[in-house]
Amino acid sequence: MTDLWWKRAVVYQIYPRSFADADGDGMGDLRGVIDHLDHLAELGVDVLWLSPIYKSPQDDNGYDISDYQDIDPLFGELATFDELLAGAHRRGMKLIMDLVVNHSSDEHPWFVESRSSKDNPKRDWYWWRPAREGMEPGTPGAEPTNWGSVFGGPAWNYDKETGEYYLHLFSPKQPDLNWENPEVREAVYAMMRWWLDRGVDGFRMDVINMISKVLPLTDGRLTAGAAYGDGGPSYINGPRNHEFLREMHDQVFAGRPGMLTVGEMPGVTVDEAIKFTDQDRHEVDMVFQFDHVWADRGGDPWKLIPLQLTVLKGIFGRWQAGLAEVGWNSLYWNNHDQPRVVSRYGDDSPEHRVAAAKMLGTVLHLHRGTPYVYQGEELGMTNAPFASIDDFRDIESRNHYAEAIARGATPDEVLATMRPMSRDNARTPMQWDATEHAGFTTGEPWIAVNPNHTEINARAARADPDSVFHHYRRLIELRHTEPVVAHGDFTMLLGDDERVYAFTRRLDDVELLVLGNFSASPATPAIDGWDDADVLIGEGAGVVLGPWEGRVLKRVG
Ligand code: NOJ
């Protein structure tokens, strides 16, 4: 067993624009993060992951970067960043940055040069292609391939200046970098080394399983009724993905022990994840897979289907077994792209919210892998009551609305799907206290604060020993103090039970039983031999569970 430090660690994700605003402009900033470092230290997390704070036109809230080596004035400046890094380190927390290099902003000087002429030396830094053969450039259907972009519309944008198209898997303001070009890779590695030299402790890598494309770029399969072909097979886990990550490791991380790398990988399979995270292959430490957050989506990001607990267990069970010997899991319910888990897989009614949020935390944190806490999850923050399209800010959500209305849907119909699923649910401001704007800002927040901040907020949670906050604190502490939590093996129980999530963890003679009741009625799972076990987490004892109750039991022998 290799005892890598991050196997015992918990990571906390900060989405800076929604975390805390110190200068009153309604937008969270780095000074706001500095002001709240003690909250994070009290929670006990080991690592902070900062969503992008680099210079950016903010088309996709900073995931469109126009200068990788500077801070956007919205958030502060490099000196403020250095202060934040020092403040985190002083409190024993590491800090990792978001690395967004599948694409840059169209306002990045690299792209500005690239688009300026066909013979510019940086032309080949991005994916430029002529119109489809025999078609008039710029006319509908003349795009080089039939792929749709993740944020709606075609994945190609026509550039009149040079009469060619560039590829953007996300918004037109996020042109894809051409990783086939060694100069691009070297520029990215140099930038990464610059941040590591500054003292950061690693990177979360945005859609890093999309950087290698299958050549030549060809049409994707078109299903009946779909506006665009599925380009996924041409860019998800492309042929050079492993090679590029290995090269990055050699060029950036070799000789720098103690770093943490986590690759965001939509659509990654267990078999591929084993390779990506095999320590002997020197690619990344862990990946974010998506299967468990796609369990309530009918194959379409906007089609909500009821969660079946057995499906969720099947997914986690498969990932736990797959990465048991080689590789490592990351564990998350929430991030800035996902609706709030207590509203999604739990119960956010006043009666059950606290129990459900605690239970979900317990179940997740007791799996084998490195848990990630997204800001506000430690308070049991909920989805937001968005009333109209004007309440949404997210490019993906707003584009979806416009497209659905154009297809003939009514506003009420579209809003009904957006309310539970929009990424903006994760992006409402952090709820620090019960005052106006939840103590997030003294100005006008860039997105409305959830009105339930009068009940759900950090000040109230810190003062209440039974709060979700103190529960998360205990979960994090347990990972630090009980070796079985980090290193024990995993066995799923009751795979066919639609209400109770149950598994055991074992390390030598220590065994844990973890239980979670995913329902509002009491449950008594048929599991024997635990009546006298010690209760590590949760109220009550044995296996009898109240509504939404979670529990961790321990026995030795
Ligand atoms: C994944 C990020 O998490 C998401 O917020 C972003 O929109 C896309 N990648 C594009 O960078």
Side-chain angles (χ1 to χ4, degrees):
M1 176 182 69
T2 341
D3 187 9
L4 293 156
W5 67 268
W6 35 259
K7 294 191 173 180
R8 285 173 281 115
V10 176
V11 184
Y12 187 97
Q13 183 192 351
I14 296 173
Y15 194 63
R17 60 163 47 222
S18 302
F19 191 66
D21 170 25
D23 64 7
D25 66 354
M27 178 77 63
D29 46 40
L30 293 179
R31 175 69 52 202
V33 179
I34 293 171
D35 290 347
H36 289 279
L37 281 174
D38 286 336
H39 171 85
L40 306 170
E42 193 186 334
L43 187 58
V45 294
D46 306 274
V47 184
L48 308 180
W49 149 27
L50 277 189
S51 274
I53 50 169
Y54 315 95
K55 269 222 171 88
S56 160
Q58 304 290 327
D59 188 53
D60 184 20
N61 291 1
Y63 282 88
D64 49 313
I65 297 167
S66 54
D67 185 345
Y68 289 102
Q69 291 175 222
D70 205 353
I71 308 293
D72 197 280
L74 280 177
F75 300 123
E77 46 192 53
L78 278 166
T80 336
F81 174 80
D82 291 339
E83 204 181 317
L84 165 59
L85 184 60
H89 284 165
R90 214 169 34 246
R91 290 168 177 82
M93 296 183 285
K94 296 180 188 276
L95 189 145
I96 66 172
M97 303 291 278
D98 219 306
L99 179 79
V100 189
V101 289
N102 172 69
H103 42 268
S104 71
S105 163
D106 66 337
E107 296 181 35
H108 194 293
W110 296 343
F111 188 75
V112 172
E113 273 197 51
S114 181
R115 92 188 305 173
S116 66
S117 78
K118 279 189 185 169
D119 53 13
N120 185 277
K122 291 214 165 49
R123 184 65 167 182
D124 186 48
W125 281 42
Y126 294 84
W127 295 96
W128 290 99
R129 290 290 184 275
R132 188 178 291 271
E133 225 184 298
M135 293 202 65
E136 182 64 26
T139 59
E143 290 83 13
T145 70
N146 65 358
W147 308 349
S149 92
V150 175
F151 294 158
W156 294 93
N157 204 40
Y158 180 57
D159 192 56
K160 273 207 197 86
E161 215 61 41
T162 55
E164 288 191 328
Y165 292 79
Y166 65 86
L167 176 68
H168 60 88
L169 295 181
F170 295 87
S171 108
K173 287 188 68 61
Q174 294 167 299
D176 280 50
L177 281 159
N178 177 10
W179 276 69
E180 294 293 323
N181 185 329
E183 290 176 17
V184 168
R185 305 202 300 273
E186 275 155 30
V188 168
Y189 305 151
M191 173 271 283
M192 294 172 76
R193 285 190 296 262
W194 184 86
W195 281 105
L196 294 180
D197 290 345
R198 223 177 171 91
V200 311
D201 303 290
F203 294 94
R204 172 271 186 189
M205 303 174 182
D206 193 70
V207 291
I208 204 71
N209 65 335
M210 298 189 182
I211 56 177
S212 161
K213 274 80 171 168
V214 177
L215 297 174
L217 309 181
T218 54
D219 280 345
R221 203 162 63 88
L222 197 61
T223 43
Y228 300 102
D230 176 13
S234 291
Y235 58 75
I236 292 180
N237 192 27
R240 301 185 70 187
N241 210 158
H242 292 286
E243 175 199 332
F244 290 159
L245 287 178
R246 169 70 184 250
E247 180 185 76
M248 177 193 283
H249 185 279
D250 292 350
Q251 295 292 320
V252 177
F253 299 107
R256 298 182 195 250
M259 299 290 109
L260 170 64
T261 56
V262 48
E264 188 209 25
M265 298 197 177
V268 69
T269 61
V270 173
D271 287 344
E272 283 302 329
I274 293 171
K275 292 193 202 152
F276 281 120
T277 65
D278 177 350
Q279 283 293 307
D280 292 338
R281 292 174 57 102
H282 304 294
E283 296 181 21
V284 290
D285 295 325
M286 56 190 97
V287 304
F288 290 132
Q289 57 84 20
F290 280 64
D291 292 347
H292 68 300
V293 291
W294 287 343
D296 63 349
R297 306 203 167 184
D300 165 340
W302 299 102
K303 186 156 181 253
L304 188 62
I305 56 170
L307 175 73
Q308 272 180 270
L309 188 61
T310 49
V311 169
L312 194 65
K313 287 193 241 184
I315 291 167
F316 274 113
R318 207 158 40 76
W319 279 92
Q320 292 284 301
L323 275 66
E325 303 297 331
V326 175
W328 191 248
N329 273 294
S330 66
L331 306 167
Y332 72 97
W333 288 129
N334 277 118
N335 58 42
H336 63 292
D337 295 330
Q338 300 297 329
R340 294 281 179 181
V341 72
V342 68
S343 303
R344 182 183 197 177
Y345 291 163
D347 184 335
D348 61 8
S349 67
E351 194 186 350
H352 296 304
R353 181 188 65 86
V354 170
K358 289 181 183 176
M359 182 280 288
L360 288 161
T362 301
V363 166
L364 188 80
H365 281 238
L366 269 291
H367 278 81
R368 186 179 155 89
T370 299
Y372 287 70
V373 179
Y374 176 68
Q375 65 185 43
E377 184 181 336
E378 80 278 25
L379 308 176
M381 274 177 62
T382 67
N383 282 351
F386 299 114
S388 86
I389 185 61
D390 298 334
D391 295 340
F392 291 89
R393 298 287 177 273
D394 169 34
I395 180 172
E396 182 188 40
S397 306
R398 293 180 70 98
N399 286 355
H400 167 68
Y401 182 87
E403 281 185 8
I405 296 290
R407 279 198 308 270
T410 66
D412 282 351
E413 283 165 357
V414 194
L415 289 171
T417 62
M418 286 169 67
R419 260 182 220 109
M421 314 189 79
S422 169
R423 310 196 292 182
D424 276 338
N425 282 301
R427 302 174 179 189
T428 63
M430 178 75 175
Q431 295 168 202
W432 293 107
D433 60 37
T435 62
E436 200 195 4
H437 305 320
F440 163 71
T441 180
T442 53
E444 222 11 74
W446 70 276
I447 185 171
V449 169
N450 194 320
N452 67 16
H453 72 275
T454 49
E455 303 292 320
I456 304 170
N457 63 68
R459 177 171 294 167
R462 276 202 303 267
D464 172 5
D466 295 328
S467 66
V468 180
F469 176 82
H470 287 291
H471 184 81
Y472 266 72
R473 207 175 47 68
R474 283 190 284 272
L475 286 172
I476 294 164
E477 196 181 3
L478 190 65
R479 175 164 291 265
H480 294 153
T481 53
E482 275 284 352
V484 61
V485 176
H487 302 296
D489 63 16
F490 176 99
T491 306
M492 187 70 85
L493 305 177
L494 308 180
D496 297 331
D497 191 312
E498 281 297 352
R499 282 208 301 151
V500 176
Y501 202 113
F503 55 89
T504 55
R505 304 288 313 278
R506 176 179 274 279
L507 183 68
D508 303 325
D509 60 348
V510 177
E511 193 177 17
L512 304 183
L513 173 66
V514 182
L515 298 169
N517 181 0
F518 275 69
S519 84
S521 37
T524 309
I527 300 173
D528 295 330
W530 291 85
D531 287 349
D532 303 323
D534 291 344
V535 181
L536 293 189
I537 296 279
E539 294 115 42
V543 300
V544 182
L545 299 169
W548 294 105
E549 201 175 358
R551 192 170 296 143
V552 181
L553 303 172
K554 173 183 175 179
R555 65 185 183 192
V556 180

